[in-house]
């Protein structure tokens, strides 16, 4: 894991090039504290900040091939580099290092941009191909590692984080109102859109090629599922075979993710997924495995009891960071500096504290359980959609009240509502069953309620844009043929996973402290296997991740193996309303600051703060609006305020690229060398 930055085709004087690269890579130095390097060739520049994990002594970057015609700056890990290296050597390639970086260089020599299809890893890289006079950017299949870019003056600049791009003359921070509308609907902007006007994110599983003819992007992989018509009962023998395949492939995904020249630890939440990864690591590292957890003061959020069960069962050397409500409030400005986008939930804040504990404990790498819920259907939204479909199809069934109350048992405010409220909230109307977003509409509706706080100017900037319509338009052509569970999984995996889980709650909070996360459940081989598994083996009745549980039940204590899903959550509005620290951060929501930013109606925001302050317990919608507005205000102060001093509020026009088509040429083209 590292930080990368660079440019191609920018009109820079020779004496400006290295200085700009130094400033850009300096902005992401937290990602790579072990060394920096730059490379300049005419109007091309590459920069790298290194977090040394593999070939600690020899893997310095930017790195080139034997004759210096292919140069790379690379962030991430290639987990099958050992096998690829052996194949490349057998074909005559000569290596100078034992790093995974050099494997990409030689593979690119053979296959060009198509080399990405051979990589099993988490990566974002830039390659300058001197012979072809082209810059190639690439990102891993599911979006673990970030890469952003901006087109300016006929050239392109790129970086691991937006703050590096803001060092380029002419690239300024201004809010994209369409992105804000998307974040207040889905919790994230739809890539390639970002919160920053005219700054794009390379979507997962995409390659970008820039040359004198322009800039093109191409998707090389996507989540795919069988047609629903293929779904059928499964024999015990078939289930046993699939269960064994899951186990073998999961263990292999863990095995290759243990490749490193530094120690590897494990995140342990106490839930099923992190317990599985930790237990699987134990099969390969029988001694001295270090694990790390977050604990909360409030029993509503704390899972310490289950963490301790796993620590005792596996004999782990375990460390815990205690997250108090004050901590969430105090860390928010630092958090937004790293996420570079507003957040709708506070859950990333404790993860930032956890990665700090890992760093302070001398570790650079941890393995985590992210991805299991998407790949094996673990989220409550999958069960919820199944129950809603049943209720819509069986309007007179006496099981309706019982089923609805079985959803979200950890949300007492929801469980205490009337049956009429529950049916209205979850929405089981038969007429809407054909909506491709059916499974997620309760979440989207609840989140979009926060848009009631938008200012008049913001509403005018957004105009008649419809975020839901854009998402529907983006769905694959064969989406309608998939099983409803597969459709729900796609929405989580293709959108929320890279847009929020792996970014604001993943890479950005771990790499803030130079800690690399590794995700066995996101090995593309396991994803493709799980996609082929019949839905009834993933969500069996209302038991989530059934086949995964069966595949590893011998590795876990019974209390963990049979534990129902409890999503990771953290205190929200109350973290800012009950302390002096929170009051300081809360000043961002003052009438004057809200009016000055111009995004929200200051009077309505004031009433929201008063309401949350008076209530003993705040509901989902109010919490989401509170955190979303507060974090947007903090984001504005961190990024936009420095750019707008002396020139007014930066609400950009939404008329351009309202529906970006990221599979077509980018309009601006870099000049040739």
């Amino acid at each position: 894991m590292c930080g990368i930055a660079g440019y191609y085709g920018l009109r820079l004087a020779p004496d400006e090039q290295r200085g700009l690269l130094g400033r850009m890579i300096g902005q992401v130095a937290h990602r790579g504290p072990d060394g920096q390097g730059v490379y300049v060739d005419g109007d091309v520049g590459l920069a790298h900040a290194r977090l040394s994990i593999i070939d600690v002594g020899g893997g310095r970057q930017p790195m080139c091939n034997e004759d210096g015609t292919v140069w790379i700056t690379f962030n991430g890990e290639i987990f099958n580099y050992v096998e690829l290296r052996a194949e490349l050597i057998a074909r005559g390639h000569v290596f100078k290092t034992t790093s995974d970086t050099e494997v990409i260089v030689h593979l690119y020599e053979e296959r060009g941009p198509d080399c990405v299809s051979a990589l099993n890893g988490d990566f974002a890289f830039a390659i300058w191909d001197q012979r072809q006079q082209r810059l190639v950017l690439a990102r891993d299949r599911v979006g673990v590692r970030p890469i952003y870019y901006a087109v300016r003056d006929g050239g392109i600049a790129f970086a691991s984080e937006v703050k590096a791009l803001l060092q380029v003359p002419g690239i300024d921070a201004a809010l994209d109102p369409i992105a804000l509308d998307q974040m207040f609907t889905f919790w994230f902007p739809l890539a390639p859109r970002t919160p920053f006007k005219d700054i794009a994110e390379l979507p997962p599983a995409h390659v970008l090629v820039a040359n004198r003819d322009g800039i093109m992007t191409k998707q090389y992989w996507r989540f795919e599922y069988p047609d629903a018509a293929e779904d059928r009962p499964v024999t015990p023998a078939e289930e046993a075979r699939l269960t064994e395949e899951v186990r073998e492939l999961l263990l292999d995904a863990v095995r290759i993710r243990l490749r490193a020249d530094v120690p590897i630890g494990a995140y342990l939440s106490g839930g099923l997924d992190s317990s599985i990864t930790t237990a699987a690591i134990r099969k390969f590292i029988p001694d001295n495995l270090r694990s790390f957890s977050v604990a909360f003061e409030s029993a509503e959020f704390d899972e310490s009891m289950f963490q301790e069960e796993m620590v005792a069962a596996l004999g782990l050397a375990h460390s815990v960071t205690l997250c108090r409500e004050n901590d969430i409030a105090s860390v928010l400005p630092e958090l937004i500096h790293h996420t570079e986008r507003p957040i709708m939930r506070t859950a990333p804040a404790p993860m930032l504290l956890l990665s700090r504990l890992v760093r302070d404990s001398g570790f650079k790498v941890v393995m985590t359980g992210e991805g299991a819920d998407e790949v094996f259907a673990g989220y409550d939204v999958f069960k919820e959609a199944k129950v809603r479909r049943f209720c819509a199809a069986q309007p007179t069934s006496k099981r309706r009240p019982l089923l609805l109350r079985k959803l979200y048992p950890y949300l007492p405010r929801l469980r205490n509502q009337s049956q009429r409220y529950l049916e209205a909230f979850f929405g089981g109307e038969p007429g809407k069953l054909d909506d491709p977003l059916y499974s997620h509409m309760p979440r989207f509706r609840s989140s979009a309620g926060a848009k009631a706080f938008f200012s008049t100017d913001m509403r005018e900037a957004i105009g008649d844009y419809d975020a839901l319509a854009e998402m529907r338009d983006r769905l694959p052509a064969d989406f309608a043929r998939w099983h409803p569970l597969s459709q729900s999984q796609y929405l989580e995996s293709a959108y929320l996973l890279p847009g929020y889980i792996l970014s604001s709650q993943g890479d950005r909070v771990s790499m803030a402290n130079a800690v690399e996360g590794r995700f066995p459940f996101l090995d593309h081989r396991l994803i493709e296997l799980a996609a082929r598994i019949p839905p009834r083996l993933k969500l069996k009745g209302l038991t989530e991740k059934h086949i995964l549980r069966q595949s590893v039940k011998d590795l876990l204590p019974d209390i963990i193996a049979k534990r129902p899903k409890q999503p990771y959550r953290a205190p929200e509005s109350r973290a800012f309303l009950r302390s002096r620290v929170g009051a300081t951060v809360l000043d961002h929501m003052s009438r004057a600051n809200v009016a000055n930013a111009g995004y929200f109606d200051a009077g309505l925001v004031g009433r929201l703060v008063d309401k949350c302050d008076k209530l003993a317990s705040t509901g989902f919608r109010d919490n989401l609006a509170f955190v979303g507005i507060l974090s947007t205000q903090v984001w504005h102060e961190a990024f936009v305020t420095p750019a707008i001093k002396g020139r007014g509020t930066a609400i950009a026009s939404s008329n351009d690229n309202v529906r970006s088509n990221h599979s077509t040429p980018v309009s601006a083209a870099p000049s040739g060398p």
Side-chain angles (χ1 to χ4, degrees):
M1 284 285 288
C2 307
I4 65 173
Y7 59 82
Y8 164 52
L10 298 183
R11 298 185 179 97
L12 299 171
D15 60 349
E16 297 175 331
Q17 294 174 320
R18 289 185 177 272
L20 174 60
L21 288 171
R23 292 192 301 276
M24 292 177 74
I25 206 64
Q27 289 294 309
V28 293
H30 53 275
R31 300 180 66 92
D34 297 333
Q36 295 183 8
V38 299
Y39 165 77
V40 176
D41 177 18
D43 63 353
V44 175
L46 306 179
H48 189 262
R50 188 181 186 211
L51 181 64
S52 53
I53 292 173
I54 293 176
D55 192 3
V56 173
R60 290 180 293 276
Q61 299 183 49
M63 183 181 292
C64 65
N65 63 347
E66 300 97 322
D67 61 6
T69 58
V70 176
W71 284 83
I72 188 171
T73 181
F74 162 54
N75 167 34
E77 305 290 346
I78 306 303
F79 301 117
N80 64 334
Y81 81 99
V82 173
E83 293 79 9
L84 290 174
R85 188 175 190 273
E87 294 170 6
L88 288 162
I89 290 174
R91 292 197 291 269
H93 290 269
V94 177
F95 282 76
K96 297 175 292 185
T97 73
T98 58
S99 71
D100 56 337
T101 306
E102 195 174 3
V103 167
I104 305 174
V105 172
H106 291 295
L107 203 59
Y108 177 86
E109 288 181 300
E110 289 190 354
R111 306 187 188 184
D114 291 338
C115 69
V116 291
S117 297
L119 304 177
N120 184 340
D122 306 331
F123 55 84
F125 63 75
I127 285 178
W128 170 240
D129 185 334
Q130 196 177 73
R131 287 199 183 101
Q132 297 292 328
Q133 290 290 288
R134 66 187 179 190
L135 178 75
V136 177
L137 307 182
R139 192 174 180 199
D140 64 73
R141 292 170 178 81
V142 296
V144 175
R145 305 302 166 214
I147 188 165
Y148 299 89
Y149 65 94
V151 177
R152 186 188 72 83
D153 293 341
I156 182 172
F158 66 88
S160 296
E161 298 183 13
V162 171
K163 57 181 69 71
L165 295 177
L166 298 178
Q167 298 300 305
V168 179
I171 299 179
D172 295 317
L175 177 71
D176 181 341
I178 297 301
L180 188 67
D181 187 86
Q182 291 173 351
M183 288 183 286
F184 274 61
T185 306
F186 309 123
W187 305 359
F188 53 88
L190 295 172
R193 198 180 291 274
T194 74
F196 297 86
K197 177 71 173 176
D198 296 327
I199 295 177
E201 173 184 5
L202 185 66
H206 276 69
V207 171
L208 179 152
V209 178
N211 57 27
R212 67 185 66 206
D213 297 322
I215 301 173
M216 295 288 294
T217 60
K218 177 184 177 182
Q219 186 171 7
Y220 65 89
W221 183 90
R222 73 174 174 92
F223 291 90
E224 295 183 318
Y225 301 88
D227 288 357
E230 298 177 22
D231 187 39
R232 56 177 176 75
V234 180
T235 67
E238 288 177 301
E239 180 173 352
R241 176 181 57 79
L242 288 169
T243 301
E244 185 58 29
E245 285 186 41
V246 168
R247 181 187 178 93
E248 289 181 1
L249 197 44
L250 174 59
L251 290 177
D252 191 63
V254 170
R255 178 185 65 84
I256 63 174
R257 280 161 179 76
L258 290 172
R259 290 172 170 171
D261 295 328
V262 297
I264 295 179
Y267 276 172
L268 183 62
S269 70
L272 178 68
D273 310 331
S274 65
S275 297
I276 290 172
T277 54
T278 305
I281 296 171
R282 206 57 161 140
K283 291 184 70 67
F284 301 101
I285 303 178
D287 302 310
N288 302 319
L289 176 58
R290 188 76 176 271
S291 57
F292 303 90
S293 295
V294 173
F296 292 94
E297 281 186 312
S298 170
E300 181 181 351
F301 308 103
D302 189 59
E303 299 181 72
S304 297
M305 180 184 78
F306 301 101
Q307 295 164 9
E308 291 164 4
E309 285 280 348
M310 285 302 299
V311 169
L314 298 178
L316 304 172
H318 189 61
S319 299
V320 180
T321 184
L322 178 63
C323 181
R324 304 173 179 85
E325 291 182 356
N326 277 0
D327 297 323
I328 292 174
S330 64
V331 82
L332 184 68
E334 179 188 355
L335 174 65
I336 300 303
H337 172 77
H338 288 293
T339 64
E340 299 182 324
R341 62 180 54 176
I343 56 174
M344 308 304 289
R345 313 301 301 272
T346 58
M351 300 305 293
L352 180 62
L353 301 176
L354 181 58
S355 70
R356 185 181 300 168
L357 170 66
V358 174
R359 178 200 65 193
D360 293 345
S361 300
F363 279 72
K364 296 181 179 181
V365 184
V366 290
M367 204 170 297
T368 87
E370 273 84 3
D373 288 316
E374 292 81 1
V375 173
F376 289 100
Y379 286 128
D380 286 324
V381 70
F382 304 134
K383 291 188 284 188
E384 175 194 307
K386 188 173 186 177
V387 169
R388 289 169 54 227
R389 288 182 184 277
F390 171 83
C391 290
Q394 305 288 338
T396 61
S397 172
K398 295 180 180 179
R399 297 173 62 191
R400 285 164 57 100
L402 299 175
L403 288 171
L404 289 174
R405 293 189 184 282
K406 287 190 70 172
L407 298 172
Y408 307 104
Y410 47 85
L411 297 178
R413 283 176 58 91
L414 195 60
R415 292 188 71 192
N416 294 333
Q417 297 292 344
S418 68
Q419 180 67 16
R420 178 176 297 181
Y421 175 93
L422 292 174
E423 292 188 3
F425 180 84
F426 289 118
E429 303 91 334
K432 297 183 180 179
L433 288 172
D434 60 350
D435 184 345
L437 306 182
Y438 176 83
S439 61
H440 284 63
M441 284 305 296
R443 180 199 294 172
F444 293 160
R445 283 199 312 265
S446 296
S447 300
K451 290 189 276 190
F453 295 91
F454 284 170
S455 67
T456 301
D457 287 347
M458 179 58 64
R459 292 177 185 275
E460 290 178 354
I462 293 169
D464 61 358
Y465 170 75
D466 185 340
L468 296 175
E470 175 163 1
M471 180 174 278
R472 290 186 185 102
D473 288 348
R474 286 173 173 236
L475 297 175
D478 50 352
F479 183 88
R481 299 200 303 269
W482 296 343
H483 188 279
L485 179 60
S486 300
Q487 293 176 339
S488 301
Q489 286 185 267
Y490 180 87
L491 295 176
E492 286 291 317
S493 302
Y495 293 113
L496 189 75
L497 179 64
Y500 173 73
I501 299 294
L502 295 176
S503 63
S504 296
Q505 199 169 296
D507 173 273
R508 311 315 287 276
V509 290
S510 63
M511 288 306 292
N513 291 304
V515 173
E516 173 182 289
R518 296 186 175 184
F519 313 97
F521 288 109
L522 295 179
D523 187 306
H524 72 276
R525 301 170 301 164
L526 189 58
I527 291 172
E528 291 164 1
L529 169 63
R532 298 192 301 270
I533 292 173
R536 66 189 68 209
L537 294 184
K538 287 180 278 190
L539 182 58
K540 190 169 187 177
L542 291 181
T543 300
E544 74 278 5
K545 294 182 285 199
H546 166 73
I547 194 167
L548 176 62
R549 292 175 187 274
Q550 293 300 111
S551 71
V552 295
K553 60 185 179 182
D554 62 307
L555 301 181
L556 304 173
D558 208 43
I559 190 175
I560 301 294
K562 295 181 179 179
R563 188 187 176 199
K565 175 69 180 178
Q566 178 173 328
Y568 162 66
R569 299 180 300 131
E572 295 178 303
S573 60
R574 73 188 194 194
F576 303 92
L577 294 166
R578 304 287 187 265
S579 70
R580 208 175 312 167
V581 173
T584 301
V585 179
L586 204 56
D587 185 59
H588 288 88
M589 292 177 80
S590 70
R591 180 177 289 269
N593 284 329
V594 170
N596 181 61
Y599 309 144
F600 305 103
D601 183 302
L604 293 177
V605 171
R607 288 198 283 276
L608 173 67
V609 173
D610 290 342
K611 178 183 178 182
C612 293
D613 192 26
K614 291 174 182 176
L615 292 174
S617 177
T618 308
F620 172 84
R621 295 183 185 185
D622 287 337
N623 269 325
L624 187 138
F626 185 102
V627 174
I629 293 167
L630 175 57
S631 63
T632 303
Q633 290 293 119
V634 173
W635 177 88
H636 174 84
E637 181 68 23
F639 295 102
V640 181
T641 296
I644 67 173
K645 286 181 177 177
R647 62 177 176 84
T649 303
I651 298 181
S653 168
S654 66
N655 295 330
D656 299 330
N657 300 321
V658 168
R659 296 201 183 179
S660 301
N661 184 343
H662 54 270
S663 294
T664 58
V666 178
S667 57
S671 59

